[in-house]
Amino acid sequence: MRDMTDSVGEVIKAGKALDEASEKITGDKPVEKVVVRGPGLLLTVAQNVQYVLTTVAATLVLLFFLLASGSFFHLRLVELFDRLGDKKRALSVLLGAESDVSRYILSISAINLALGAAVAGALALAGLPDPVSWGLMATLLNFIPYVGGLIGIVMVAAASVLEFYTVEQMLVGPGAYLLLTLLEGQFVTPMVLGRRFDVNPAVILVAVAFWGWIWGIVGAIVAVPLLVAVKVICTQSGVAPLFVHFISSHVSEDQPGPGVQPGPEIGPQTEPASRSETDRT
């Protein structure tokens, strides 16, 4: 970068010398131009950091009040129903959904921590400085599906370009990051979570885009847990089976979709009954 800036500086000096020489020859004075500049890079970064910190602070305050409320919302939900059986069913669905979502968040957190440790080790072997910070960044970014991994790969690639001098060294870091995120997304996460928490990738992208637009970086992080919570609640309560069937990524081949009645099984050895047997039946 220093060599490049020195070369640019020499070009700028040469341009100024040519301008001065032309002014002496022609006697013309340079025309002053008014240029309206937008905010600089430092100001833009400062504004974004302020927005992120404000959003995180609001999220923590909301989390505090939700935890401080205790079983308030449980009681309000039970009070909505008149019959005792409905009250028990609603409470059972709510507690089951809480347990499943807690298990999902715990599993995702453990997977992301393991991914961060693997990324830190790979980047340390690749020669990038401060691999622990890169591993922490990978852990946090992986809470944002698809988009977080892409941001991490771009950042590692940029750091590798600034740090190394050969193309092979520049490709090692982002290549290792890409390989680890592919292994995590295609094999580890589906194997750990199974089909119970499996959601269609297109639905996940729409949810991340929507909640990111509504609530910024925090919305992008909580988009998938919210989607999983809605799916688990609908599955537990039996409400909106069409919605659950629509957002699921796997469709069982031996079971028809909701609202579809299975037809009679017809195999190669099936023979139609005779007329006498049909009349007798």
Side-chain angles (χ1 to χ4, degrees), residues 24-184:
K24 291 179 181 179
I25 295 174
T26 60
D28 296 334
K29 295 183 179 180
V31 179
E32 295 183 358
K33 297 181 179 180
V34 179
V35 179
V36 180
R37 295 182 178 180
L41 177 61
L42 184 60
L43 181 59
T44 303
V45 172
Q47 291 175 349
N48 291 333
V49 170
Q50 180 182 4
Y51 170 73
V52 171
L53 292 179
T54 304
T55 307
V56 171
T59 305
L60 293 177
V61 172
L62 174 61
L63 178 63
F64 170 77
F65 281 105
L66 289 176
L67 292 175
S69 62
S71 58
F72 173 81
F73 293 102
H74 295 74
L75 296 175
R76 287 294 178 266
L77 178 64
V78 171
E79 291 174 355
L80 294 176
F81 300 93
D82 297 329
R83 295 184 301 179
L84 181 61
D86 295 336
K87 294 178 182 289
K88 290 182 177 179
R89 184 166 179 248
L91 187 60
S92 175
V93 169
L94 181 60
L95 295 178
E98 287 182 354
S99 176
D100 288 344
V101 173
S102 300
R103 191 180 302 112
Y104 168 81
I105 295 177
L106 179 62
S107 302
I108 287 294
S109 301
I111 291 173
N112 292 345
L113 286 173
L115 176 66
V119 168
L123 296 184
L125 294 176
L128 276 176
D130 204 2
V132 177
S133 298
W134 288 111
L136 180 61
M137 180 205 70
T139 299
L140 297 178
L141 286 177
N142 206 53
F143 280 98
I144 306 176
Y146 307 113
V147 180
L150 180 60
I151 294 174
I153 293 172
V154 172
M155 294 178 67
V156 171
S160 300
V161 170
L162 296 177
E163 183 69 22
F164 302 115
Y165 297 98
T166 62
V167 178
E168 292 78 8
Q169 290 177 319
M170 295 177 185
L171 294 178
V172 170
Y177 198 120
L178 175 62
L179 178 62
L180 291 173
T181 52
L182 286 177
L183 290 175
E184 176 269 330

Side-chain angles (χ1 to χ4, degrees), residues 224-266:
V224 179
L226 284 176
L227 186 62
V228 170
V230 172
K231 180 183 178 183
V232 169
I233 291 175
C234 293
T235 304
Q236 292 272 356
S237 61
V239 177
L242 291 175
F243 172 75
V244 176
H245 184 75
F246 178 77
I247 67 174
S248 299
S249 61
H250 290 90
V251 180
S252 178
E253 296 181 356
D254 56 349
Q255 293 182 358
V260 179
Q261 298 295 330
E265 297 182 358
I266 301 177

